[in-house]
């Protein structure tokens, strides 16, 4: 897991900036629409929708926005044809990159991503080239927390795979997908306030970057994240 902590911190800070600008609302709306389309509007019966609604809560997304997205996903007000696409790429120093998108225009998305990658010295990879390196996990992130021992004990005693405390006053808890909801509820019951509880994709190996490569990668990441069709960007870049 080396290197993941630092990158989580960077992504967390970036997400806060995006929330202030409102861009994140559009992306969360798309996720709510897709989750509702696939699994229905009952969050109790739809794990993906629960995660999307958790993201909306973390971003302080207005209830009216959430309601509209649920209505679109249910079909009553849907005028779009969202499609899930995943792209694979190589970044600085051969870093593996996964790009998850939700789009209503495949050609536009492909064209925009290729332009960003080329401009930042990265290249699109063939399907399967890097995807095998990543596995889906649950992530719970605490920042500026109290009760460190309690947070860690709950995680260890309830199925967490990995718990790390960072120098940036953050606790990162990695769980199997099946244990994420249980752990989240335990923390909610004890009013232990986490920054995020979501799904992520973790690599099995990491690539170390020098300072120049780190700078190049962050620029690439930010440009990818700024694309309206991009939902998440995952990488095996080591930021320790």
């Amino acid at each position: 897991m080396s290197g993941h902590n630092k990158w989580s911190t960077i992504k967390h800070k970036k997400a806060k900036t995006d929330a202030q600008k409102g861009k994140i609302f559009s992306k969360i709306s798309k996720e709510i629409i897709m989750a509702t389309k696939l699994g229905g509007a009952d969050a109790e019966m739809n794990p993906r929708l629960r995660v999307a609604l958790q993201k909306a809560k973390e971003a302080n997304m207005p209830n009216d926005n959430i309601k509209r997205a649920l209505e679109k996903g249910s079909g009553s007000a849907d005028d779009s044809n969202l499609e899930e696409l995943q792209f694979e790429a190589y970044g600085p120093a051969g870093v593996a990159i996964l790009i998850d998108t939700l789009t209503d225009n495949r050609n536009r998305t492909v064209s925009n991503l290729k332009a960003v990658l080329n401009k930042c010295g990265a290249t699109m990879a063939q399907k399967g080239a890097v995807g095998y390196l990543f596995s889906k996990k649950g992530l719970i992130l605490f920042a500026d927390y109290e009760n460190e021992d309690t947070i860690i004990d709950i995680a260890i005693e309830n199925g967490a795979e990995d718990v790390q405390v960072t120098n940036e006053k953050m606790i990162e808890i990695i769980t199997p997908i099946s244990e994420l909801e249980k752990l989240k509820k335990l923390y909610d019951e004890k009013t232990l306030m986490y920054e995020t509880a979501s799904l992520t994709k973790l690599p099995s190996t990491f690539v170390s970057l020098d300072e120049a490569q780190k700078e190049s990668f962050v620029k690439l990441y930010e440009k990818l994240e700024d694309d309206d069709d991009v939902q998440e960007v995952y990488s095996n870049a080591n930021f320790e």
Side-chain angles (χ1 to χ4, degrees):
M1 305 292 286
S2 173
H4 192 255
N5 288 330
K6 187 70 173 179
W7 183 234
S8 292
T9 305
I10 292 170
K11 290 185 71 173
H12 170 68
K13 291 177 179 177
K14 178 71 165 57
K16 279 198 166 183
T17 303
D18 279 349
Q20 292 168 358
K21 295 187 297 182
K23 178 180 285 287
I24 194 80
F25 294 164
S26 174
K27 298 191 177 194
I28 294 173
S29 291
K30 285 184 179 181
E31 177 59 22
I32 292 173
I33 292 169
M34 181 59 73
T36 305
K37 275 185 174 183
L38 295 177
D42 183 354
E44 289 299 316
M45 302 297 292
N46 187 340
R48 179 169 175 174
L49 180 59
R50 285 201 300 271
V51 173
L53 293 176
Q54 176 66 36
K55 286 184 179 180
K57 177 183 176 182
E58 292 166 5
N60 295 317
M61 186 170 170
N63 288 333
D64 286 347
N65 295 44
I66 297 172
K67 182 180 178 181
R68 283 196 298 271
L70 288 168
E71 288 174 349
K72 284 188 175 184
S74 299
S76 57
D78 188 15
D79 57 358
S80 65
N81 294 300
L82 286 176
E83 179 182 15
E84 288 186 282
L85 299 172
Q86 184 179 83
F87 299 91
E88 304 180 32
Y90 292 109
V95 163
I97 302 171
L98 282 186
I99 307 165
D100 286 348
T101 69
L102 278 174
T103 179
D104 57 5
N105 188 322
R106 177 190 291 251
N107 291 336
R108 177 193 67 219
T109 301
V110 172
S111 177
N112 288 349
L113 290 182
K114 283 184 176 179
V116 169
L117 291 169
N118 290 338
K119 187 173 183 179
C120 295
T123 57
M124 197 79 84
Q126 294 294 322
K127 185 175 179 60
V130 301
Y132 72 94
L133 292 170
F134 295 82
S135 56
K136 188 175 286 188
K137 300 290 181 181
L139 168 66
I140 301 178
L141 195 66
F142 286 87
D144 299 322
Y145 51 83
E146 297 179 358
N147 304 311
E148 177 178 321
D149 289 343
T150 301
I151 291 170
I152 293 174
D153 287 345
I154 289 173
I156 292 173
E157 293 168 6
N158 291 277
E161 291 183 358
D162 190 42
V163 180
Q164 294 194 26
V165 181
T166 78
N167 293 331
E168 291 83 8
K169 187 67 175 176
M170 302 183 83
I171 299 176
E172 181 184 86
I173 300 166
I174 302 299
T175 77
I177 298 173
S178 59
E179 302 301 316
L180 175 63
E181 186 66 20
K182 179 180 77 174
L183 261 177
K184 186 172 82 69
K185 285 182 178 179
L186 287 171
Y187 288 128
D188 288 341
E189 289 169 1
K190 293 186 177 294
T191 61
L192 295 167
M193 304 302 293
Y194 44 81
E195 291 292 317
T196 186
S198 60
L199 297 178
T200 190
K201 293 176 183 176
L202 292 183
S204 56
T205 61
F206 285 86
V207 174
S208 295
L209 305 180
D210 61 27
E211 289 306 313
Q213 290 166 340
K214 288 178 183 178
E215 184 177 344
S216 296
F217 179 80
V218 171
K219 287 180 180 178
L220 170 60
Y221 169 80
E222 290 180 342
K223 287 184 180 296
L224 288 171
E225 280 282 294
D226 282 340
D227 188 290
D228 291 338
D229 295 333
V230 173
Q231 292 295 104
E232 292 286 350
V233 180
Y234 305 99
S235 164
N236 69 343
N238 187 340
F239 269 74
E240 293 288 18

